[in-house]
Amino acid sequence: MIRKKFLFLFVGCVIWVSCSEHAFDTHNVVADSNSVLLTKMSSFNDSLIQSRVETRGWVKPGAWKRAQVIAADCGGAWSLGKAGFWAGGLFSPGGAAVGATIGALIGGTCGSYTAYASLYWSRALLLHPLTPQKATTAYASLLNDENVNFEEYVPKTINVDYPILDDNITLMGAKHNVLLKSIMLDDFKENDYKDILSDEEVKVIESKEYKASFDSIMASISVIDGVLVLKGNDVGTKLMNLFYDVFQKYSEDSDDVQFLINKYIDEVNSTSELSDEDKKLVYSSLSVIASSYEFWSNIDL
């Protein structure tokens, strides 16, 4: 029984890694007509985007590129959260949830770093790409610092209405911001993360499956040109594509971002088309969006 379960998880992980190859594309977003959720959110997006075309225009310098960086944060969190879920499931029954959490955090942070380096031609960053191991070392350093309280870094301008109480979700964005800042400033101690993180977290980050997904996704983020689109046929991935589309084309200020995040969370919470695991990954990814918006809005791009 155990061997069969292991084989199932292994095959699923291989399939996930294969599907993650060239995980981002920049073609137009197409909803699935067989999904009530996707059809509803596609219509919602269309109405908002049309209203923006008629009444608004980007007024802040660098707004388009800023939106792309923020979307890459969320895209990295979603895609590598799923990769971490599969990889973690190989090691223990509870490893999938652990893998999704650490995968989403590292993926979102590295996605943000990579997009910023690419879009703003930062040679220093491009010559020193961020690896999951370095990001994990920085995260472990923060966990080992008694002076760091992640709750102090939740967004101040965006109020997210989470439908569940789970620090791994509600603090995902806050952790992302603290981690990203420490990495960009190179302000962390080079502790051995194996001594600080759980065995399951270490196994996920160091697994071949996670590394393969990480390399593929970051390579795709580094050449973003247009609205971010993830490749994948599942409802969750298509839903996130719809969110990226409306986020990049509609949102102009924190009120817009808060409205979009809470609308999508509300629809995800009420649907039966997504598994509980995918719902949690959506919430985590949108947590990253809320915090990332605040982070990059305070930086002159």
Side-chain angles (χ1 to χ4, degrees), residues 198-215:
S198 69
D199 290 342
E200 291 171 328
E201 289 174 316
V202 172
K203 287 178 180 178
V204 167
I205 295 300
E206 295 187 345
S207 69
K208 294 180 180 179
E209 295 80 11
Y210 186 84
K211 289 180 180 178
S213 293
F214 180 93
D215 290 343

Side-chain angles (χ1 to χ4, degrees), residues 20-51:
S20 295
E21 188 174 359
H22 308 301
F24 291 98
D25 200 353
T26 54
H27 301 301
N28 293 328
V29 177
V30 178
D32 186 344
S33 60
N34 295 320
S35 166
V36 173
L37 174 64
L38 296 180
T39 299
K40 182 177 183 178
M41 299 316 295
S42 180
S43 297
F44 169 77
N45 284 9
D46 289 343
S47 64
L48 286 186
I49 293 170
Q50 184 58 40
S51 70

Side-chain angles (χ1 to χ4, degrees), residues 59-106:
V59 295
K60 296 180 180 179
W64 173 243
K65 285 188 176 181
R66 182 180 289 108
Q68 289 178 299
V69 173
I70 296 169
D73 279 22
C74 187
W78 167 261
S79 297
L80 287 163
K82 287 184 74 69
F85 179 84
W86 278 110
L90 291 172
F91 307 117
S92 70
V98 172
T101 299
I102 189 70
L105 176 60
I106 301 304

Side-chain angles (χ1 to χ4, degrees), residues 11 16 45 50 69-70 86 95 107 114 118 214 230 232 257 266 292:
V11 171
W16 163 246
N45 284 9
Q50 184 58 40
V69 173
I70 296 169
W86 278 110
T114 301
S118 174
F214 180 93
L230 289 73
V257 177
D266 184 58
S292 181

Side-chain angles (χ1 to χ4, degrees), residues 36-292:
V36 173
L37 174 64
L38 296 180
T39 299
K40 182 177 183 178
M41 299 316 295
S42 180
S43 297
F44 169 77
N45 284 9
D46 289 343
S47 64
L48 286 186
I49 293 170
Q50 184 58 40
S51 70
R52 183 192 176 283
V53 170
E54 294 175 351
T55 63
R56 300 185 182 185
W58 285 112
V59 295
K60 296 180 180 179
W64 173 243
K65 285 188 176 181
R66 182 180 289 108
Q68 289 178 299
V69 173
I70 296 169
D73 279 22
C74 187
W78 167 261
S79 297
L80 287 163
K82 287 184 74 69
F85 179 84
W86 278 110
L90 291 172
F91 307 117
S92 70
V98 172
T101 299
I102 189 70
L105 176 60
I106 301 304
T109 303
C110 293
S112 185
Y113 180 101
T114 301
Y116 174 76
S118 174
L119 291 170
Y120 291 91
W121 297 98
S122 175
R123 287 186 172 275
L125 297 183
L126 287 172
L127 291 174
H128 301 283
L130 185 57
T131 65
Q133 285 70 32
K134 181 176 180 180
T136 306
T137 296
Y139 176 52
S141 176
L142 293 174
L143 290 178
N144 208 36
D145 188 341
E146 296 180 352
N147 296 319
V148 176
N149 180 3
F150 292 114
E151 292 185 359
E152 296 178 357
Y153 296 90
V154 296
K156 304 298 188 297
T157 59
I158 296 175
N159 181 31
V160 181
D161 296 327
Y162 296 104
I164 58 177
L165 296 177
D166 185 337
D167 286 348
N168 288 328
I169 294 172
T170 60
L171 294 181
M172 178 68 72
K175 290 181 178 180
H176 163 277
N177 279 15
V178 179
L179 178 56
L180 180 59
K181 181 179 179 180
S182 69
I183 289 171
M184 294 186 72
L185 296 177
D186 200 26
D187 182 24
F188 59 90
K189 296 180 180 179
E190 293 286 349
N191 294 314
D192 187 349
Y193 61 78
K194 296 179 182 179
D195 295 331
I196 300 172
L197 301 183
S198 69
D199 290 342
E200 291 171 328
E201 289 174 316
V202 172
K203 287 178 180 178
V204 167
I205 295 300
E206 295 187 345
S207 69
K208 294 180 180 179
E209 295 80 11
Y210 186 84
K211 289 180 180 178
S213 293
F214 180 93
D215 290 343
S216 175
I217 291 166
M218 294 307 149
S220 299
I221 288 179
S222 68
V223 292
I224 289 176
D225 181 21
V227 174
L228 180 67
V229 180
L230 289 73
K231 286 186 177 180
N233 292 320
D234 60 289
V235 173
T237 298
K238 289 183 176 181
L239 179 74
M240 296 310 296
N241 280 333
L242 288 171
F243 181 85
Y244 303 141
D245 190 53
V246 71
F247 173 79
Q248 293 181 79
K249 293 178 179 177
Y250 173 80
S251 59
E252 186 176 85
D253 55 33
S254 59
D255 288 339
D256 291 339
V257 177
Q258 177 174 294
F259 170 65
L260 292 175
I261 288 174
N262 287 326
K263 174 63 176 177
Y264 269 73
I265 283 179
D266 184 58
E267 295 297 337
V268 166
N269 183 45
S270 62
T271 188
S272 60
E273 294 184 47
L274 295 173
S275 67
D276 288 342
E277 291 75 17
D278 274 356
K279 286 184 177 183
K280 289 179 180 180
L281 271 177
V282 171
Y283 303 149
S284 295
S285 300
L286 296 182
S287 173
V288 169
I289 280 278
S291 292
S292 181

